[in-house]
Amino acid sequence: MRPILMKGHERPLTFLKYNREGDLLFSCAKDHTPTVWFADNGERLGTYRGHNGAVWCCDISRDSMRLITGSADQTVKLWSVQTGAQLFTFNFDSPARSVDFSIGDKLALITTDPFMGLPSAIHVKCIARDPDDQTAESIHVLRGPQGRINRAVWGPLNKTIISAGEDSIIRIWDSETGKLLKESDKETGHKKAITSLMKSADGSHFLTGSHDKSAKLWDVRTLTLIKTYVTERPVNAVAMSPLLDHVVLGGGQDASAVTTTDHRAGKFEAKFYDQILQEEIGGVKGHFGPINALAFNPDGKSFSSGGEDGYVRLHHFDPDYFNIKT
C-alpha cells in the first residue's frame, strides 16, 4: 500500500472528514486554514481562509455544498464548499471545539471549551437553507460536563446528542429538552480523557478513543459497552471501516515527549483491529509524530490519517486487504 503524502498544512493536523460521496477529503489543522482535497489522488483543491486560530473540527453537509468549521478563535464558520466564500460566522465567548450537522442539515451542534471562568457547553443552532436568513441564536445550550467536551455528535433521528471529553464520561442528552438521559458507567467506561468519538456508518453504534490507551465500542441507544480495544499508547483518533469489521486506532505519546524517540519507537502507526474479536490484525506506519486524525472513505476502499507532523497520508487498500482472514 503506497500512501499518497499530502503536504498542505504548516502545523499539526487536528481532524479529517470525507464528504458523503467520498470524492472529497477535508482537513483541519492548527494553521488556521481548512483544506479540501480530491480523495482519489490527493490533489489539493482549495483552502478556506478566514479563521485566526487553530481549526479543531469540521463537518460537510449531505449535498457537499456547505462546510462548517470550529476554531480556537472563538468562532464557527459556515462556508460554501465550491467557492470557499464565508457564508456566516457564529461568535462565541470561548474556543469552539466540535461541530456536527444533524441528519437533514437543518441543525448544527457546536461545543465550546471552558474558558475564563465559563463552563463548557453544547450549543444547538438552526442552519438556514438560505445563508441570508441565517441567525446566530441558539435553540438550546446544554451545560454540565466538567472540563472540555472534545466531541459531540447527533444520535439516531437527531433525537439525542452524544458528548464525551476530558472527564472521561460519555453522556446522552435529549436534544429537544436538553435533559441528561444517560451516562457511561464508571466501571466499564474510560478511565482518562476521551479524545475522539466516531459513529458507525449505520449510526447504530459508536467508537470512542481515550488517553487510557483503549478504544471502546458502544450501543448508541442504550450506551451498553460492546467491545474494548486495548493498545499500548494513548489513542488520539479512531475510525471504523464502513465495509469490513475493522476498527483503526491512531495515537502515540504526547508530542512533547517525542523529541527523544525515532518514529519506530514512538509507535506512530495506525493500528487495525478486528471489530468482533478485538484482536490487532495489522498496522500502517509512516507518520513522524502522533496521529491526531483518522477517517475512512465511505466506500471503505481507502483511509487517511493526519499527524502532528503536518502531513495527511492517504492510503488506498490493496486487493489483499479485502481478503484478510482473521
Side-chain angles (χ1 to χ4, degrees):
M1 237 180 17
R2 289 212 41 191
I4 299 171
L5 254 66
M6 293 137 75
K7 181 69 175 144
H9 290 289
E10 304 293 319
R11 300 274 320 277
L13 269 287
T14 54
F15 197 76
L16 290 168
K17 178 90 184 194
Y18 286 91
N19 65 338
R20 193 170 62 104
E21 283 77 31
D23 58 340
L24 301 176
L25 174 64
F26 295 81
S27 58
C28 302
K30 292 183 180 173
D31 63 4
H32 312 180
T33 313
T35 300
V36 57
W37 316 76
F38 273 126
D40 60 345
N41 60 8
E43 186 186 328
R44 180 155 76 164
L45 266 170
T47 51
Y48 300 89
R49 299 190 181 280
H51 279 300
N52 298 317
V55 180
W56 294 120
C57 194
C58 71
D59 197 12
I60 300 96
S61 62
R62 196 177 162 83
D63 59 7
S64 301
M65 296 298 279
R66 295 208 197 158
L67 173 71
I68 186 169
T69 54
S71 168
D73 66 7
Q74 307 188 353
T75 68
V76 166
K77 291 183 185 287
L78 279 171
W79 311 80
S80 160
V81 168
Q82 265 172 320
T83 65
Q86 288 184 44
L87 303 176
F88 194 80
T89 300
F90 297 100
N91 291 296
F92 296 94
D93 297 326
S94 56
R97 177 72 45 176
S98 171
V99 291
D100 194 40
F101 278 124
S102 64
I103 303 158
D105 301 326
K106 293 199 168 116
L107 302 167
L109 264 187
I110 298 164
T111 72
T112 51
D113 289 353
F115 187 70
M116 306 285 281
L118 288 168
S120 59
I122 304 169
H123 307 259
V124 180
K125 304 275 188 192
C126 262
I127 303 296
R129 184 158 283 187
D130 184 340
D132 297 339
D133 301 334
Q134 185 64 51
T135 61
E137 279 76 59
S138 295
I139 313 172
H140 284 307
V141 180
L142 315 181
R143 303 183 201 280
Q146 294 303 304
R148 200 167 72 209
I149 302 168
N150 284 326
R151 289 290 291 135
V153 297
W154 293 95
L157 304 173
N158 303 337
K159 288 193 171 10
T160 53
I161 293 167
I162 304 157
S163 70
E166 279 190 335
D167 64 2
S168 76
I169 294 169
I170 300 163
R171 292 178 175 81
I172 297 187
W173 312 78
D174 184 310
S175 60
E176 287 286 309
T177 63
K179 201 171 117 215
L180 180 60
L181 302 175
K182 289 189 182 72
E183 286 190 349
S184 59
D185 182 49
K186 280 199 167 62
E187 289 303 305
T188 57
H190 286 292
K191 302 293 183 268
K192 289 187 178 171
I194 296 171
T195 54
S196 43
L197 191 161
M198 175 86 207
K199 283 190 297 191
S200 62
D202 65 359
S204 65
H205 44 283
F206 65 92
L207 187 65
T208 52
S210 163
H211 282 156
D212 67 8
K213 303 182 181 173
S214 76
K216 290 176 183 285
L217 190 66
W218 307 83
D219 182 283
V220 78
R221 287 188 165 84
T222 62
L223 203 48
T224 311
L225 178 65
I226 306 170
K227 301 281 180 187
T228 299
Y229 311 94
V230 180
T231 176
E232 69 279 357
R233 67 250 157 111
V235 178
N236 300 342
V238 294
M240 271 184 283
S241 166
L243 208 57
L244 303 173
D245 288 328
H246 290 174
V247 166
V248 190
L249 312 183
Q253 76 259 58
D254 192 38
S256 59
V258 167
T259 48
T260 54
T261 54
D262 71 359
H263 64 95
R264 291 187 298 280
K267 306 189 175 68
F268 308 130
E269 57 182 329
K271 293 207 164 186
F272 280 69
Y273 286 76
D274 184 292
Q275 188 177 319
I276 316 296
L277 303 175
Q278 308 176 64
E279 292 166 358
E280 191 181 325
I281 48 180
V284 178
K285 293 185 171 66
H287 282 286
F288 289 93
I291 293 175
N292 297 336
L294 285 169
F296 253 98
N297 192 305
D299 68 7
K301 292 177 181 164
S302 60
F303 86 105
S304 52
S305 55
E308 192 74 22
D309 55 10
Y311 282 93
V312 179
R313 295 174 75 92
L314 175 63
H315 304 265
H316 288 282
F317 292 117
D318 293 336
D320 311 353
Y321 166 76
F322 301 100
N323 307 321
I324 294 177
K325 296 285 178 278
T326 49

